[in-house]
Amino acid sequence: MAHPTPRRGLARAAVAAALTVAGTAAVLPAMLTPAASAAPSARGPWQDPSYQPRPGQWRPYVLAPESRTVPPVAVYKADPREGRIDGSPEAALKNGGGSVRLTGAADRAGSPLLILDFGKEVAGHIKVRVKGASSTRPKLRACFSESIRYLAEAPGDNDGQGAIAPGCDTANIWNGFPGQPYTEDTDSHALTLDGRLPGTVRDKELRGGFRYATLFLDGPGWVDVDGVSVDYTAAPRQKDMTDYQGRFLSSDNLLNKIWYAGAYTVQLNTGAANTAKSWPYVKGEGDHADAPVPHADPSKDVIYDGGKRDRIIWQGDLAVQAPVAYLSTNDLDAVTNSLSSLAAQQLPDGYMPAESQVGQHNADELRTYGEYVTWFVSNMHEHWLYTGDRAYLAKWWTALTKATAWLESVRAQDGDKGLIAFDKAGSCGHYGYSDCGHETYVNALYARNLAQMADLAKARGDAGAAAAYAGRSAAVKKAINDQLWDEQAGAYRLSREIPGAYPQDGNATAVLAGVAGAARGRRAMAYLRANNWEKYGSLTVSQKTPNASLPPFYAPLPSTFETDARLEGRDASGLDLIRTFWGHQLAQDPGSTFWEHMQPDGTPNLKQFSSLAHGWAAGPTVTLSTRVLGVRPTAAGYSSFAVVPFAGDLTWAEGTVPTPHGGIEASWRTDRHGFGLTVRAPRGTTGRLAVPVSARTRKVTFDGRTVWAGGEATARGVSSDGAYVYFDGVSAGRHVLAARE
């Protein structure tokens, strides 16, 4: 999952210290926005800050390339340093025509640097068209970086990386992790100039995520570069990467960009099942991504947590990535292959390892982060809800019951108090901190698991098991409220052991899991708004209450939880949180994908080691489709669904949600006359439609017929909670529900 700490090899004390390292608040140079130079005459949403979204015009937001051959869009910098650069550096932007000559120095420390900008995050194998070279050919190398900030131009950058691997950021925790010296080149790639010239040299190693590529020479001599491109390898089995089955569009240009950046982040992290990274690296091991994922079908793709690193599959990241895929590319094969590869790793006692076990691991590493067992259960339930795949549920039902039984065995160790703590289970810690206590967060996740298992047992026709799971869920919720709610603070405590901290994750999950009632939910959100919100979003914990377990930083997963909790309570500040936190990331490099996590000063949490295209950060793509456009499944595989829009300050939204029956198309618009919702539903589905109402609403019509007037329903299937009027039992086809003042 998207940890702000390295997974292995560092002691917990070093991990805690790494979390508290303040990022350098360096000001980035003026940067291109994604694809800004690809077509200067085409001013779209990514290039024009004044761009006005128009209904139907979703394609300009798609960041996926149209071709598997992707050229750079600009030369960021051509720096001769102690060598020379002759000719136009722009010759490197395309094959043919002139070339640019790089002449090396005595060694790489003085080599010229040709830094190319691809305009957005890309992935694949670098190709360089070499027109000619000196008789003694220098060694040509390529470095990669997701951002200018950590591109290591100066010798001392990235703890000394600039003197050894100029132009690189860091992808190997054993060498150059922030605060540790960079001692040897484990990040640049060799481009071997064998054979006759002119010719094309292709990088043998895959780089799974970068925006900038730097060419340098390792020694004297010269090379004439005629053109550079990337063989784009992300999502290799998606034939047309730009033709999303799911879509979203609204009156807000920034929210639209955030939706498509989230979709692209997950798409970029989708890769062949034999392109994982084998952790842990040994000392001196160079960057490579060529390991097979255990138990994965090699004929199908998988979804890695991050393109650059860790480039393995994590249970928690899939909690976000799978719904993003369902709602955008609809790449079900990549989702099921990822879920199955993890499920097949289950230990005999039911424990589910957190990540795909690529490489060599000892028994202790298999039991790290017990939180992720809860995500296995949740991911399988979400898959059932979105797909209705009964055969897949049957295949892994025993694994689900064993995982839930393991969680219950941990809870049983708490006796009459009845809460989980993973310290006694030897699987302490989770995504952002290493607290071993009885936490609100983990117990809320487990309460939701039990409700999910009740739903799945019911679907399998086992009423007794469904009732037992539901009863346990109620008991866990009661224990959380009895032991962890702080009435004076108006918020849930971090844990019984740390009662004076009130974290973002625990309070948001308590709302989403149904632990908090409406009144407590409002108070919990008010606490976070008053105490945790800072310049760039909502912190994991207020800076006023630091503690040894959870430092304050910005984490995408709980920020998504908080966004959803706010919108669930019809609180428009949820949209403000999306614009602030995720909008800040899009304003920085790489400007097209979302980050693993962020320091309070707005910089990446682990500096050069951070992943800036990390799947668990793509949550707003799901939020905007399910809570703003408002389309959600209410029964497995969308056999029934609901469309309950949330407008906030938006004036319109539209989109398509893929389902096993075909796409559900929805659009809504609000104006001074009221609110209109149009839905086209496929055969095999029934729906609930809703429109917001107020004291000024005179009537609500369904397909032109009045169904609610004078504050009362005038037709069957119509109800209201005072904020919305609902119409149930909507059949397939096109329908319009409208509220008029």
Side-chain angles (χ1 to χ4, degrees), residues 391-413:
Y392 193 79
L393 173 61
K395 177 180 180 180
W396 296 113
W397 178 245
T398 299
L400 279 165
T401 58
K402 288 176 64 178
T404 310
W406 181 86
L407 289 165
E408 184 63 19
S409 73
V410 177
R411 187 173 78 99
Q413 296 175 30

Side-chain angles (χ1 to χ4, degrees), residues 303-574:
I303 306 178
Y304 299 111
D305 62 334
K308 165 188 160 181
R309 56 137 284 269
D310 300 317
R311 202 167 177 85
I312 50 180
I313 306 170
W314 280 79
Q315 302 276 7
D317 292 85
L318 283 176
V320 177
Q321 292 171 315
V324 170
Y326 300 140
L327 294 168
S328 57
T329 62
N330 200 28
D331 191 347
L332 298 184
D333 280 350
V335 173
T336 55
N337 201 26
S338 302
L339 291 174
S340 296
S341 71
L342 292 171
Q345 298 179 151
Q346 189 171 40
L347 302 184
D349 66 351
Y351 183 86
M352 190 64 66
E355 63 191 273
S356 54
Q357 301 297 314
V358 183
Q360 301 298 315
H361 305 279
N362 60 45
D364 289 340
E365 289 171 338
L366 293 176
R367 292 186 178 274
T368 302
Y369 306 119
E371 172 207 1
Y372 294 83
V373 184
T374 72
W375 287 116
F376 167 70
V377 177
S378 183
N379 290 341
M380 287 295 187
H381 177 266
E382 290 297 283
H383 183 71
W384 163 252
L385 185 60
Y386 277 94
T387 69
D389 189 338
R390 189 169 293 276
Y392 193 79
L393 173 61
K395 177 180 180 180
W396 296 113
W397 178 245
T398 299
L400 279 165
T401 58
K402 288 176 64 178
T404 310
W406 181 86
L407 289 165
E408 184 63 19
S409 73
V410 177
R411 187 173 78 99
Q413 296 175 30
D414 198 36
D416 293 340
K417 293 185 177 180
L419 292 176
I420 281 176
F422 289 128
D423 52 339
K424 295 180 181 179
S427 54
C428 176
H430 48 79
Y431 78 86
Y433 48 104
S434 56
D435 179 34
C436 292
H438 300 81
E439 306 169 12
T440 298
Y441 171 63
V442 165
N443 282 280
L445 293 179
Y446 180 50
R448 183 172 65 173
N449 285 164
L450 291 165
Q452 291 167 331
M453 288 296 289
D455 184 44
L456 294 175
K458 182 179 179 182
R460 288 175 53 81
D462 191 339
Y469 285 128
R472 278 191 234 157
S473 179
V476 175
K477 291 176 182 178
K478 184 177 185 303
I480 295 170
N481 280 314
D482 288 349
Q483 300 172 47
L484 295 171
W485 172 256
D486 186 329
E487 179 63 24
Q488 184 175 354
Y492 288 91
R493 300 179 175 95
L494 192 153
S495 64
R496 289 204 311 243
E497 292 75 11
I498 306 178
Y502 308 92
Q504 179 191 37
D505 60 6
N507 282 277
T509 52
V511 173
L512 295 176
V515 174
R520 284 186 175 180
R522 285 191 295 271
R523 293 185 67 192
M525 291 301 100
Y527 177 91
L528 295 181
R529 184 69 180 86
N531 294 278
N532 291 42
W533 280 41
E534 298 287 352
K535 182 177 180 180
Y536 300 110
S538 184
L539 293 166
T540 52
V541 68
S542 169
Q543 296 199 72
K544 302 173 186 175
T545 57
N547 59 81
S549 176
L550 177 60
F553 64 100
Y554 297 106
L557 184 69
S559 291
T560 297
F561 296 158
E562 183 176 344
T563 296
D564 287 350
R566 291 185 179 281
L567 295 179
E568 189 80 6
R570 299 163 186 168
D571 178 356
S573 66

Side-chain angles (χ1 to χ4, degrees), residues 48 95 245 310 345 483 588 670 735:
D48 184 357
N95 291 339
Q245 293 186 41
D310 300 317
Q345 298 179 151
Q483 300 172 47
Q588 319 296 315
T670 182
H735 301 284

